[in-house]
Each structure stands twice: as C-alpha cells, then as structure tokens.
Amino acid sequence: GVQTSLPIFYVGLTIASLVFAVIFKAIVAEIKLRYYIQELADGKMDTIPEQSGPFITSINNINKINSGLQRNLNEILKSERLKTELITNVSHDLKTPLTSIISYVSLLKGLNINNDMANEYISVIDNKSKRLKILIDDLFEASKLSSGQMKLDKMYSDIVALLDQTLGELSYKIEESDIEFIVSTSTDSILVNIDGQKMWRVFDNLINNILKYSAKGTRAYVDITEEHDVVITFKNVANYNMDFDANELFERFKRGDPSRTTEGSGLGLSIAKSIVELHGGIMNITTDGDLFKIVIVLQK
C-alpha cells in the first residue's frame, strides 16, 4: 500500500507544483500589466521591455500601442515645432521691409506735400502699416510663447498702479468707445512678483478686447482683490451672441467676431493666457448671457 501511495503522492505534488507555477506566472503577469498601465496613465511612455512566456500577450500589445503613441506624439511635436519656426521666421522676415515702409511713410509725411489726395493716401498707408506691425508683433510673440523662448524679468511691482497706467495709456480709446470703466481694488497698492512689461501686455490686450467687443453705452468693471492670491476680474457686456464655448477664445486665431470685421489678430487672449500661465497663474473665461468675465489669479 505504501509503495502504491508514494507514486500517487509524487504525481499529486507534481500537478500541484505545476498549478502553483501557472497561477504564480499569471499573478506576476497581472501585476506587471497593472504596473505598466499605471505608468502609461501617469504619462511615463518609456518602452516596455519585451516579455516572454505565458500570459504576456496583453503586456506586449500595450507595448505596441505605447510605441504607436510615441511615434504619433513625436510627429505632432515635430509638426508643431516646424509650424512655430515657420511663424517665427516669417514674422522676422516681414519686420525688415515693414520697418522701411513705416520709415519712408514718416519721411513723406514730413515733406508737407501740397496735395490732399496724396496726403490721404499717405495717411491710409501709415495706418495700415502700423496695424500690420501690430499683427506681426503678435505673431512673433505668440510663437515665442508657444516655443518656450520667452523669459520673464520678474520683480515686485504694484499691480494696481500697473492697471491704472494701462488705462491711462488707453484713455483716448476709452473716451471714443462710449464704454465706462469702473475700477475697484481691495487696497490702494498690491505688490506682486511679476514681469511688469509682460503683465502690462496682458492688461493692454484685455482692455482692448473689452473696447472692441462691448455693447455701446455700457460699463466695464475691473476688480482687484488680495487674499491668499491676487485675483483680477474683468467684466463687460458683449455686443455679439456668444453661441460657442467661451474658452475657445483662448485658442490661437479664434475670434469672437466670426465675420472678422473688427481689427485684431485673434491672438490677444491666447497671448494673455500664456503670459499669465508663464507667471504660474491661472486665467479663465466665464459667460452668463451676454455678460463676459475673465478672471486672473496670480500668486503673491
């Protein structure tokens, strides 16, 4: 009886060992699968080592998907880089002849030509060339921001004074626009660690945007509050139907005016948002009917 039971015991032990080995390999494969899926979910797209043995088909398939994603991502990054380089180069190449045109127009204006029609033509060229310069500068700035080439020169500056300065520089436009600006601040002076020139550009873009797209005879509100962070809120009543996702306006070349009859490059809000985010801040748009609100949050 003992001699008969020993082979049966060894056979059973062998079968149990095989079953255990299969279950162990399955568990290991499942752990690896979950690990690599989590790595991908965390954005770590390093190539997964080629697996061999049973239960590894899913892991190798994930590796194929991962490799495909990496190829597509590299193509997208390459395309975006080439597009940015194209915009930068074209903007730079356009600046040189445009500077000459603006200079020669200025010389023509200084000649005091005694011909009304000629002076009218010179005035038109002057206005259009200056507008073209603004568009090219926007393109150049947007391309620098998107490629990460723009650097900040930060120092503690009074954000309230900067807003007042921007409104003062645009006072002639505000008077012509029939839009009344109401400014309120929690204190007379709020110091924030910013690049003053870049943040001035944000305010300039947003105020010009309000002047272009506000209903005539309305008020625009600018509020600055200081708590844990500094919160700057711009509110105005839009003069067009906002039948789209307002945050689409942050996309480059997107404009609230679909007919493109208003002046502008469609880059203003995109540039403003990029500058705010470069400062480590947040910029959001919300709408309520025809009320348009932009909120900027900056760390002190």
Side-chain angles (χ1 to χ4, degrees):
V2 174
Q3 290 180 342
T4 305
S5 61
L6 278 174
I8 295 172
F9 170 76
Y10 285 125
V11 169
L13 185 63
T14 304
I15 293 171
S17 300
L18 289 171
V19 170
F20 175 79
V22 169
I23 293 172
F24 179 77
K25 285 184 177 293
I27 291 172
V28 169
E30 178 67 18
I31 291 170
K32 282 185 176 181
L33 180 62
R34 293 190 179 204
Y35 170 76
Y36 289 127
I37 288 174
Q38 188 60 52
E39 288 284 286
L40 288 177
D42 293 339
K44 299 172 184 174
M45 298 182 68
D46 295 331
T47 303
I48 300 168
E50 185 73 22
Q51 306 291 314
S52 60
F55 311 114
I56 48 75
T57 305
S58 296
I59 298 175
N60 286 333
N61 283 339
I62 284 179
N63 196 27
K64 290 175 184 176
I65 294 170
N66 185 28
S67 299
L69 285 172
Q70 283 185 321
R71 281 195 302 272
N72 290 339
L73 182 61
N74 290 335
E75 286 296 318
I76 291 168
L77 290 173
K78 180 182 177 183
S79 174
E80 190 66 26
R81 190 184 73 252
L82 291 173
K83 186 166 61 176
T84 300
E85 287 176 359
L86 175 64
I87 292 172
T88 303
N89 292 336
V90 168
S91 302
H92 186 269
D93 291 343
L94 288 172
K95 272 187 173 184
T96 305
L98 184 60
T99 301
S100 296
I101 291 169
I102 291 171
S103 298
Y104 278 110
V105 168
S106 180
L107 290 171
L108 282 171
K109 287 172 72 176
L111 293 176
N112 296 319
I113 298 170
N114 189 22
N115 184 307
D116 291 342
M117 187 171 287
N119 285 323
E120 184 183 343
Y121 291 163
I122 290 169
S123 179
V124 170
I125 295 169
D126 186 32
N127 289 332
K128 297 299 181 184
S129 59
K130 286 176 180 175
R131 171 162 153 64
L132 185 56
K133 183 179 185 303
I134 292 170
L135 296 177
I136 291 170
D137 286 345
D138 279 356
L139 269 175
F140 195 68
E141 192 159 11
S143 66
K144 282 202 298 182
L145 281 162
S146 64
S147 63
Q149 294 175 6
M150 183 171 286
K151 305 300 178 189
L152 297 180
D153 184 15
K154 294 168 75 174
M155 62 183 294
Y156 278 94
S157 307
D158 184 353
I159 201 88
V160 177
L162 185 62
L163 175 64
D164 288 340
Q165 176 195 332
T166 313
L167 287 167
E169 290 173 2
L170 295 171
S171 58
Y172 69 99
K173 278 190 176 183
I174 293 172
E175 288 170 9
E176 293 173 357
S177 69
D178 196 23
I179 308 296
E180 182 185 2
F181 276 78
I182 311 294
V183 179
S184 65
T185 60
S186 57
T187 58
D188 292 336
S189 176
I190 300 173
L191 293 178
V192 189
N193 191 22
I194 55 171
D195 183 321
Q197 180 62 30
K198 301 291 189 302
M199 197 54 64
W200 169 86
R201 181 66 193 273
V202 171
F203 288 167
D204 183 72
N205 281 0
L206 296 184
I207 294 166
N208 272 301
N209 205 63
I210 288 172
L211 294 175
K212 279 190 291 188
Y213 295 118
S214 286
K216 296 294 181 184
T218 58
R219 291 175 175 175
Y221 297 87
V222 187
D223 303 321
I224 305 180
T225 59
E226 180 185 23
E227 294 176 7
H228 297 297
D229 298 311
V230 175
V231 180
I232 309 155
T233 308
F234 293 81
K235 289 182 284 190
N236 68 290
V237 178
N239 62 1
Y240 60 93
N241 182 25
M242 290 179 285
D243 56 349
F244 52 86
D245 180 359
N247 281 290
E248 288 180 8
L249 291 173
F250 284 137
E251 296 175 9
R252 283 178 286 176
F253 306 110
K254 176 71 179 181
R255 296 168 64 168
D257 169 27
S259 63
R260 303 185 73 85
T261 54
T262 54
E263 291 189 358
S265 61
L267 289 165
L269 286 179
S270 173
I271 289 171
K273 182 179 173 69
S274 296
I275 291 173
V276 169
E277 290 178 347
L278 202 58
H279 280 83
I282 300 167
M283 182 171 170
N284 288 316
I285 292 177
T286 57
T287 57
D288 185 2
D290 58 1
L291 180 67
F292 189 83
K293 182 166 76 171
I294 290 181
V295 179
I296 297 172
V297 181
L298 295 172
Q299 297 174 349
K300 288 192 288 188

